[in-house]
Structures are given as C-alpha cells and as structure tokens.
mmCIF file of all heavy atoms in Angstrom:
data_model
loop_
_atom_site.group_PDB
_atom_site.id
_atom_site.type_symbol
_atom_site.label_atom_id
_atom_site.label_comp_id
_atom_site.label_asym_id
_atom_site.label_seq_id
_atom_site.Cartn_x
_atom_site.Cartn_y
_atom_site.Cartn_z
ATOM 1 N N ALA A 1 9.000 -9.704 16.097
ATOM 2 C CA ALA A 1 8.010 -10.393 16.957
ATOM 3 C C ALA A 1 6.713 -10.705 16.196
ATOM 4 O O ALA A 1 5.952 -11.555 16.626
ATOM 5 C CB ALA A 1 7.693 -9.497 18.184
ATOM 6 N N HIS A 2 6.470 -10.037 15.083
ATOM 7 C CA HIS A 2 5.252 -10.274 14.338
ATOM 8 C C HIS A 2 5.539 -10.180 12.847
ATOM 9 O O HIS A 2 6.644 -9.784 12.444
ATOM 10 C CB HIS A 2 4.168 -9.247 14.752
ATOM 11 C CG HIS A 2 4.642 -7.863 14.747
ATOM 12 N ND1 HIS A 2 4.850 -7.140 13.608
ATOM 13 C CD2 HIS A 2 4.971 -7.029 15.782
ATOM 14 C CE1 HIS A 2 5.265 -5.920 13.899
ATOM 15 N NE2 HIS A 2 5.368 -5.824 15.187
ATOM 16 N N ALA A 3 4.545 -10.524 12.046
ATOM 17 C CA ALA A 3 4.718 -10.504 10.586
ATOM 18 C C ALA A 3 5.051 -9.103 10.112
ATOM 19 O O ALA A 3 4.662 -8.100 10.724
ATOM 20 C CB ALA A 3 3.469 -11.037 9.919
ATOM 21 N N VAL A 4 5.771 -9.041 9.012
ATOM 22 C CA VAL A 4 6.150 -7.748 8.470
ATOM 23 C C VAL A 4 5.076 -7.180 7.598
ATOM 24 O O VAL A 4 4.185 -7.899 7.091
ATOM 25 C CB VAL A 4 7.460 -7.878 7.655
ATOM 26 C CG1 VAL A 4 8.607 -8.393 8.504
ATOM 27 C CG2 VAL A 4 7.276 -8.785 6.456
ATOM 28 N N ILE A 5 5.109 -5.901 7.377
ATOM 29 C CA ILE A 5 4.237 -5.234 6.416
ATOM 30 C C ILE A 5 4.638 -5.702 5.027
ATOM 31 O O ILE A 5 5.802 -5.849 4.707
ATOM 32 C CB ILE A 5 4.388 -3.704 6.522
ATOM 33 C CG1 ILE A 5 3.935 -3.242 7.916
ATOM 34 C CG2 ILE A 5 3.628 -2.999 5.454
ATOM 35 C CD1 ILE A 5 4.308 -1.800 8.225
ATOM 36 N N SER A 6 3.635 -5.949 4.193
ATOM 37 C CA SER A 6 3.928 -6.427 2.853
ATOM 38 C C SER A 6 3.150 -5.627 1.825
ATOM 39 O O SER A 6 1.994 -5.276 2.017
ATOM 40 C CB SER A 6 3.613 -7.925 2.706
ATOM 41 O OG SER A 6 2.231 -8.158 2.893
ATOM 42 N N TYR A 7 3.844 -5.356 0.715
ATOM 43 C CA TYR A 7 3.225 -4.641 -0.397
ATOM 44 C C TYR A 7 3.284 -5.527 -1.628
ATOM 45 O O TYR A 7 4.250 -6.290 -1.818
ATOM 46 C CB TYR A 7 3.985 -3.347 -0.727
ATOM 47 C CG TYR A 7 3.910 -2.289 0.365
ATOM 48 C CD1 TYR A 7 4.943 -2.194 1.310
ATOM 49 C CD2 TYR A 7 2.893 -1.372 0.428
ATOM 50 C CE1 TYR A 7 4.913 -1.204 2.295
ATOM 51 C CE2 TYR A 7 2.846 -0.381 1.382
ATOM 52 C CZ TYR A 7 3.884 -0.314 2.322
ATOM 53 O OH TYR A 7 3.833 0.660 3.302
ATOM 54 N N SER A 8 2.309 -5.408 -2.472
ATOM 55 C CA SER A 8 2.349 -6.073 -3.770
ATOM 56 C C SER A 8 1.739 -5.123 -4.807
ATOM 57 O O SER A 8 0.875 -4.303 -4.503
ATOM 58 C CB SER A 8 1.563 -7.389 -3.741
ATOM 59 O OG SER A 8 0.186 -7.162 -3.499
ATOM 60 N N ILE A 9 2.228 -5.250 -6.028
ATOM 61 C CA ILE A 9 1.718 -4.438 -7.124
ATOM 62 C C ILE A 9 1.599 -5.287 -8.356
ATOM 63 O O ILE A 9 2.570 -5.980 -8.728
ATOM 64 C CB ILE A 9 2.586 -3.190 -7.356
ATOM 65 C CG1 ILE A 9 2.017 -2.322 -8.495
ATOM 66 C CG2 ILE A 9 4.039 -3.546 -7.587
ATOM 67 C CD1 ILE A 9 2.627 -0.935 -8.580
ATOM 68 N N ASP A 10 0.418 -5.295 -8.941
ATOM 69 C CA ASP A 10 0.173 -6.077 -10.140
ATOM 70 C C ASP A 10 0.371 -5.201 -11.372
ATOM 71 O O ASP A 10 -0.416 -4.280 -11.631
ATOM 72 C CB ASP A 10 -1.282 -6.615 -10.080
ATOM 73 C CG ASP A 10 -1.593 -7.592 -11.205
ATOM 74 O OD1 ASP A 10 -0.833 -7.627 -12.198
ATOM 75 O OD2 ASP A 10 -2.597 -8.318 -11.090
ATOM 76 N N LEU A 11 1.412 -5.520 -12.116
ATOM 77 C CA LEU A 11 1.776 -4.758 -13.315
ATOM 78 C C LEU A 11 1.530 -5.609 -14.582
ATOM 79 O O LEU A 11 2.105 -5.329 -15.627
ATOM 80 C CB LEU A 11 3.237 -4.320 -13.261
ATOM 81 C CG LEU A 11 3.613 -3.403 -12.121
ATOM 82 C CD1 LEU A 11 5.133 -3.432 -11.879
ATOM 83 C CD2 LEU A 11 3.150 -1.999 -12.383
ATOM 84 N N SER A 12 0.687 -6.617 -14.482
ATOM 85 C CA SER A 12 0.517 -7.562 -15.592
ATOM 86 C C SER A 12 -0.191 -7.013 -16.794
ATOM 87 O O SER A 12 -0.163 -7.621 -17.875
ATOM 88 C CB SER A 12 -0.147 -8.838 -15.083
ATOM 89 O OG SER A 12 -1.419 -8.521 -14.523
ATOM 90 N N ALA A 13 -0.884 -5.903 -16.646
ATOM 91 C CA ALA A 13 -1.583 -5.270 -17.765
ATOM 92 C C ALA A 13 -1.242 -3.767 -17.764
ATOM 93 O O ALA A 13 -2.068 -2.935 -17.391
ATOM 94 C CB ALA A 13 -3.097 -5.488 -17.643
ATOM 95 N N PRO A 14 -0.028 -3.415 -18.213
ATOM 96 C CA PRO A 14 0.457 -2.063 -18.022
ATOM 97 C C PRO A 14 0.138 -1.090 -19.126
ATOM 98 O O PRO A 14 0.520 0.090 -19.024
ATOM 99 C CB PRO A 14 1.999 -2.283 -17.963
ATOM 100 C CG PRO A 14 2.211 -3.426 -18.921
ATOM 101 C CD PRO A 14 0.990 -4.329 -18.778
ATOM 102 N N GLU A 15 -0.550 -1.514 -20.169
ATOM 103 C CA GLU A 15 -0.700 -0.659 -21.364
ATOM 104 C C GLU A 15 -1.304 0.683 -21.111
ATOM 105 O O GLU A 15 -0.974 1.689 -21.774
ATOM 106 C CB GLU A 15 -1.534 -1.410 -22.443
ATOM 107 C CG GLU A 15 -0.829 -2.653 -23.015
ATOM 108 C CD GLU A 15 -1.017 -3.875 -22.104
ATOM 109 O OE1 GLU A 15 -1.726 -3.751 -21.065
ATOM 110 O OE2 GLU A 15 -0.451 -4.930 -22.421
ATOM 111 N N HIS A 16 -2.232 0.767 -20.177
ATOM 112 C CA HIS A 16 -2.953 2.019 -19.921
ATOM 113 C C HIS A 16 -2.459 2.724 -18.661
ATOM 114 O O HIS A 16 -3.187 3.494 -18.046
ATOM 115 C CB HIS A 16 -4.460 1.764 -19.847
ATOM 116 C CG HIS A 16 -5.018 1.201 -21.120
ATOM 117 N ND1 HIS A 16 -5.131 1.952 -22.269
ATOM 118 C CD2 HIS A 16 -5.501 -0.031 -21.418
ATOM 119 C CE1 HIS A 16 -5.631 1.207 -23.238
ATOM 120 N NE2 HIS A 16 -5.868 0.000 -22.750
ATOM 121 N N HIS A 17 -1.213 2.454 -18.282
ATOM 122 C CA HIS A 17 -0.567 3.130 -17.150
ATOM 123 C C HIS A 17 -1.220 2.770 -15.799
ATOM 124 O O HIS A 17 -1.082 3.512 -14.827
ATOM 125 C CB HIS A 17 -0.591 4.657 -17.310
ATOM 126 C CG HIS A 17 -0.155 5.134 -18.667
ATOM 127 N ND1 HIS A 17 1.106 4.940 -19.181
ATOM 128 C CD2 HIS A 17 -0.847 5.780 -19.597
ATOM 129 C CE1 HIS A 17 1.193 5.470 -20.359
ATOM 130 N NE2 HIS A 17 0.003 5.993 -20.674
ATOM 131 N N LEU A 18 -1.906 1.620 -15.734
ATOM 132 C CA LEU A 18 -2.631 1.258 -14.522
ATOM 133 C C LEU A 18 -2.036 0.034 -13.852
ATOM 134 O O LEU A 18 -1.445 -0.848 -14.506
ATOM 135 C CB LEU A 18 -4.087 0.944 -14.872
ATOM 136 C CG LEU A 18 -4.937 2.107 -15.428
ATOM 137 C CD1 LEU A 18 -6.319 1.595 -15.857
ATOM 138 C CD2 LEU A 18 -5.051 3.224 -14.378
ATOM 139 N N ALA A 19 -2.154 0.024 -12.540
ATOM 140 C CA ALA A 19 -1.739 -1.129 -11.729
ATOM 141 C C ALA A 19 -2.662 -1.269 -10.537
ATOM 142 O O ALA A 19 -3.433 -0.345 -10.228
ATOM 143 C CB ALA A 19 -0.285 -0.956 -11.259
ATOM 144 N N ARG A 20 -2.585 -2.437 -9.899
ATOM 145 C CA ARG A 20 -3.374 -2.644 -8.663
ATOM 146 C C ARG A 20 -2.365 -2.815 -7.545
ATOM 147 O O ARG A 20 -1.461 -3.638 -7.603
ATOM 148 C CB ARG A 20 -4.251 -3.882 -8.786
ATOM 149 C CG ARG A 20 -5.240 -4.047 -7.629
ATOM 150 C CD ARG A 20 -6.331 -3.005 -7.654
ATOM 151 N NE ARG A 20 -7.173 -3.027 -6.433
ATOM 152 C CZ ARG A 20 -8.140 -2.190 -6.194
ATOM 153 N NH1 ARG A 20 -8.407 -1.250 -7.101
ATOM 154 N NH2 ARG A 20 -8.841 -2.231 -5.067
ATOM 155 N N VAL A 21 -2.512 -2.001 -6.489
ATOM 156 C CA VAL A 21 -1.584 -2.011 -5.340
ATOM 157 C C VAL A 21 -2.303 -2.585 -4.110
ATOM 158 O O VAL A 21 -3.501 -2.276 -3.893
ATOM 159 C CB VAL A 21 -1.064 -0.586 -5.014
ATOM 160 C CG1 VAL A 21 -0.136 -0.600 -3.803
ATOM 161 C CG2 VAL A 21 -0.360 0.009 -6.230
ATOM 162 N N GLU A 22 -1.566 -3.385 -3.370
ATOM 163 C CA GLU A 22 -2.121 -3.926 -2.107
ATOM 164 C C GLU A 22 -1.099 -3.758 -1.037
ATOM 165 O O GLU A 22 0.114 -4.025 -1.238
ATOM 166 C CB GLU A 22 -2.472 -5.397 -2.287
ATOM 167 C CG GLU A 22 -3.142 -6.007 -1.071
ATOM 168 C CD GLU A 22 -3.632 -7.409 -1.333
ATOM 169 O OE1 GLU A 22 -4.700 -7.558 -2.032
ATOM 170 O OE2 GLU A 22 -2.966 -8.385 -0.918
ATOM 171 N N ALA A 23 -1.529 -3.272 0.122
ATOM 172 C CA ALA A 23 -0.668 -3.090 1.273
ATOM 173 C C ALA A 23 -1.295 -3.831 2.468
ATOM 174 O O ALA A 23 -2.438 -3.561 2.853
ATOM 175 C CB ALA A 23 -0.512 -1.618 1.601
ATOM 176 N N HIS A 24 -0.530 -4.785 3.020
ATOM 177 C CA HIS A 24 -1.012 -5.577 4.128
ATOM 178 C C HIS A 24 -0.319 -5.186 5.408
ATOM 179 O O HIS A 24 0.905 -5.261 5.510
ATOM 180 C CB HIS A 24 -0.776 -7.046 3.830
ATOM 181 C CG HIS A 24 -1.277 -7.957 4.916
ATOM 182 N ND1 HIS A 24 -2.610 -8.259 5.095
ATOM 183 C CD2 HIS A 24 -0.616 -8.660 5.908
ATOM 184 C CE1 HIS A 24 -2.745 -9.062 6.143
ATOM 185 N NE2 HIS A 24 -1.527 -9.314 6.639
ATOM 186 N N PHE A 25 -1.122 -4.760 6.404
ATOM 187 C CA PHE A 25 -0.625 -4.343 7.708
ATOM 188 C C PHE A 25 -1.085 -5.338 8.746
ATOM 189 O O PHE A 25 -2.267 -5.378 9.096
ATOM 190 C CB PHE A 25 -1.119 -2.933 8.064
ATOM 191 C CG PHE A 25 -0.690 -1.866 7.092
ATOM 192 C CD1 PHE A 25 -1.492 -1.535 6.001
ATOM 193 C CD2 PHE A 25 0.504 -1.208 7.271
ATOM 194 C CE1 PHE A 25 -1.105 -0.551 5.133
ATOM 195 C CE2 PHE A 25 0.899 -0.221 6.364
ATOM 196 C CZ PHE A 25 0.093 0.110 5.275
ATOM 197 N N PRO A 26 -0.187 -6.168 9.270
ATOM 198 C CA PRO A 26 -0.604 -7.200 10.237
ATOM 199 C C PRO A 26 -0.826 -6.622 11.659
ATOM 200 O O PRO A 26 -0.268 -5.562 12.004
ATOM 201 C CB PRO A 26 0.557 -8.178 10.224
ATOM 202 C CG PRO A 26 1.727 -7.339 9.876
ATOM 203 C CD PRO A 26 1.226 -6.276 8.910
ATOM 204 N N ALA A 27 -1.627 -7.298 12.410
ATOM 205 C CA ALA A 27 -1.800 -7.025 13.819
ATOM 206 C C ALA A 27 -2.108 -5.563 14.157
ATOM 207 O O ALA A 27 -1.401 -4.906 14.917
ATOM 208 C CB ALA A 27 -0.562 -7.493 14.586
ATOM 209 N N VAL A 28 -3.153 -5.049 13.560
ATOM 210 C CA VAL A 28 -3.606 -3.688 13.819
ATOM 211 C C VAL A 28 -4.519 -3.788 15.093
ATOM 212 O O VAL A 28 -5.400 -4.636 15.171
ATOM 213 C CB VAL A 28 -4.392 -3.105 12.651
ATOM 214 C CG1 VAL A 28 -5.005 -1.754 13.023
ATOM 215 C CG2 VAL A 28 -3.478 -2.967 11.450
ATOM 216 N N ASP A 29 -4.296 -2.901 16.077
ATOM 217 C CA ASP A 29 -5.127 -2.928 17.281
ATOM 218 C C ASP A 29 -6.548 -2.419 16.934
ATOM 219 O O ASP A 29 -6.855 -2.089 15.799
ATOM 220 C CB ASP A 29 -4.470 -2.127 18.409
ATOM 221 C CG ASP A 29 -4.239 -0.674 18.038
ATOM 222 O OD1 ASP A 29 -4.951 -0.148 17.150
ATOM 223 O OD2 ASP A 29 -3.321 -0.044 18.626
ATOM 224 N N GLY A 30 -7.362 -2.339 17.939
ATOM 225 C CA GLY A 30 -8.758 -2.001 17.708
ATOM 226 C C GLY A 30 -9.042 -0.539 17.480
ATOM 227 O O GLY A 30 -10.205 -0.119 17.489
ATOM 228 N N LYS A 31 -8.004 0.241 17.261
ATOM 229 C CA LYS A 31 -8.215 1.665 17.047
ATOM 230 C C LYS A 31 -8.318 1.990 15.563
ATOM 231 O O LYS A 31 -7.886 1.209 14.715
ATOM 232 C CB LYS A 31 -7.079 2.486 17.685
ATOM 233 C CG LYS A 31 -6.927 2.269 19.190
ATOM 234 C CD LYS A 31 -5.740 3.018 19.735
ATOM 235 C CE LYS A 31 -5.534 2.772 21.211
ATOM 236 N NZ LYS A 31 -4.352 3.496 21.752
ATOM 237 N N ASP A 32 -8.853 3.176 15.259
ATOM 238 C CA ASP A 32 -8.893 3.592 13.864
ATOM 239 C C ASP A 32 -7.477 3.619 13.302
ATOM 240 O O ASP A 32 -6.520 3.949 13.999
ATOM 241 C CB ASP A 32 -9.547 4.952 13.722
ATOM 242 C CG ASP A 32 -11.056 4.896 13.910
ATOM 243 O OD1 ASP A 32 -11.578 3.766 13.979
ATOM 244 O OD2 ASP A 32 -11.670 5.956 14.022
ATOM 245 N N PHE A 33 -7.362 3.271 12.018
ATOM 246 C CA PHE A 33 -6.053 3.064 11.395
ATOM 247 C C PHE A 33 -5.927 4.059 10.224
ATOM 248 O O PHE A 33 -6.787 4.165 9.357
ATOM 249 C CB PHE A 33 -5.973 1.644 10.898
ATOM 250 C CG PHE A 33 -4.634 1.222 10.429
ATOM 251 C CD1 PHE A 33 -3.560 1.064 11.323
ATOM 252 C CD2 PHE A 33 -4.355 1.016 9.065
ATOM 253 C CE1 PHE A 33 -2.304 0.664 10.913
ATOM 254 C CE2 PHE A 33 -3.116 0.611 8.646
ATOM 255 C CZ PHE A 33 -2.081 0.416 9.547
ATOM 256 N N LYS A 34 -4.833 4.798 10.214
ATOM 257 C CA LYS A 34 -4.589 5.804 9.176
ATOM 258 C C LYS A 34 -3.522 5.368 8.232
ATOM 259 O O LYS A 34 -2.481 4.821 8.638
ATOM 260 C CB LYS A 34 -4.199 7.115 9.873
ATOM 261 C CG LYS A 34 -3.914 8.287 8.918
ATOM 262 C CD LYS A 34 -3.689 9.591 9.676
ATOM 263 C CE LYS A 34 -2.445 9.538 10.540
ATOM 264 N NZ LYS A 34 -2.164 10.852 11.185
ATOM 265 N N VAL A 35 -3.727 5.598 6.916
ATOM 266 C CA VAL A 35 -2.697 5.408 5.957
ATOM 267 C C VAL A 35 -2.500 6.674 5.161
ATOM 268 O O VAL A 35 -3.443 7.424 4.903
ATOM 269 C CB VAL A 35 -2.961 4.204 5.009
ATOM 270 C CG1 VAL A 35 -2.979 2.901 5.745
ATOM 271 C CG2 VAL A 35 -4.253 4.402 4.238
ATOM 272 N N ASN A 36 -1.262 6.915 4.780
ATOM 273 C CA ASN A 36 -0.895 8.134 4.040
ATOM 274 C C ASN A 36 -0.156 7.799 2.762
ATOM 275 O O ASN A 36 0.564 6.805 2.689
ATOM 276 C CB ASN A 36 -0.002 9.041 4.886
ATOM 277 C CG ASN A 36 -0.715 9.600 6.107
ATOM 278 O OD1 ASN A 36 -0.594 9.069 7.199
ATOM 279 N ND2 ASN A 36 -1.475 10.659 5.910
ATOM 280 N N LEU A 37 -0.312 8.674 1.774
ATOM 281 C CA LEU A 37 0.538 8.694 0.612
ATOM 282 C C LEU A 37 1.236 10.025 0.665
ATOM 283 O O LEU A 37 0.598 11.089 0.857
ATOM 284 C CB LEU A 37 -0.242 8.574 -0.693
ATOM 285 C CG LEU A 37 0.579 8.252 -1.935
ATOM 286 C CD1 LEU A 37 1.163 6.867 -1.885
ATOM 287 C CD2 LEU A 37 -0.251 8.438 -3.191
ATOM 288 N N PRO A 38 2.565 10.079 0.563
ATOM 289 C CA PRO A 38 3.310 11.354 0.669
ATOM 290 C C PRO A 38 2.757 12.409 -0.272
ATOM 291 O O PRO A 38 2.248 12.080 -1.361
ATOM 292 C CB PRO A 38 4.737 10.951 0.304
ATOM 293 C CG PRO A 38 4.858 9.509 0.736
ATOM 294 C CD PRO A 38 3.509 8.929 0.436
ATOM 295 N N VAL A 39 2.920 13.651 0.110
ATOM 296 C CA VAL A 39 2.516 14.763 -0.727
ATOM 297 C C VAL A 39 3.672 15.372 -1.450
ATOM 298 O O VAL A 39 3.553 16.372 -2.139
ATOM 299 C CB VAL A 39 1.730 15.836 0.080
ATOM 300 C CG1 VAL A 39 0.504 15.246 0.717
ATOM 301 C CG2 VAL A 39 2.664 16.485 1.131
ATOM 302 N N TRP A 40 4.863 14.818 -1.304
ATOM 303 C CA TRP A 40 6.063 15.215 -2.035
ATOM 304 C C TRP A 40 6.997 14.029 -2.069
ATOM 305 O O TRP A 40 6.813 13.041 -1.362
ATOM 306 C CB TRP A 40 6.758 16.412 -1.390
ATOM 307 C CG TRP A 40 7.310 16.219 -0.015
ATOM 308 C CD1 TRP A 40 6.628 16.107 1.160
ATOM 309 C CD2 TRP A 40 8.721 16.029 0.331
ATOM 310 N NE1 TRP A 40 7.498 15.906 2.207
ATOM 311 C CE2 TRP A 40 8.757 15.825 1.732
ATOM 312 C CE3 TRP A 40 9.892 16.035 -0.406
ATOM 313 C CZ2 TRP A 40 9.987 15.647 2.408
ATOM 314 C CZ3 TRP A 40 11.106 15.843 0.259
ATOM 315 C CH2 TRP A 40 11.130 15.642 1.639
ATOM 316 N N ARG A 41 7.979 14.132 -2.939
ATOM 317 C CA ARG A 41 8.993 13.065 -3.015
ATOM 318 C C ARG A 41 10.363 13.641 -2.701
ATOM 319 O O ARG A 41 10.639 14.800 -2.952
ATOM 320 C CB ARG A 41 8.974 12.379 -4.377
ATOM 321 C CG ARG A 41 9.452 13.243 -5.535
ATOM 322 C CD ARG A 41 10.060 12.411 -6.612
ATOM 323 N NE ARG A 41 10.390 13.198 -7.783
ATOM 324 C CZ ARG A 41 11.465 13.960 -7.945
ATOM 325 N NH1 ARG A 41 12.304 14.112 -6.922
ATOM 326 N NH2 ARG A 41 11.672 14.617 -9.062
#
C-alpha cells in the first residue's frame, strides 16, 4: 500500500574501512520514531 523501506550504502572510497549508510523510512506518523542496530548477530 505504500513505498518500501530503502537502504543505500556508499562504498566508493573504501580504503579506510569507511562507508556512508542511508536508511529511508516512508510515511512515518507524527510520533517519535525509534531505530535500532542489533547488539548481536
């Protein structure tokens, strides 16, 4: 019914183990929004 969540990661300059990550969450309601990164794999 709505756009999907999308992730992108820029790995164009990888020499120093660095990247830029972007996460797009569409249609967030007016409430505070929480994002998590797992604490284990």
Side-chain angles (χ1 to χ4, degrees):
H2 49 74
V4 300
I5 297 168
S6 62
Y7 295 95
S8 63
I9 181 167
D10 188 344
L11 298 161
S12 57
E15 293 83 2
H16 299 291
H17 313 296
L18 296 174
R20 189 71 188 176
V21 178
E22 184 173 284
H24 180 76
F25 299 91
V28 174
D29 59 25
K31 300 177 183 179
D32 286 351
F33 190 71
K34 179 173 66 175
V35 294
N36 293 98
L37 193 69
V39 300
W40 65 285
R41 66 151 174 81

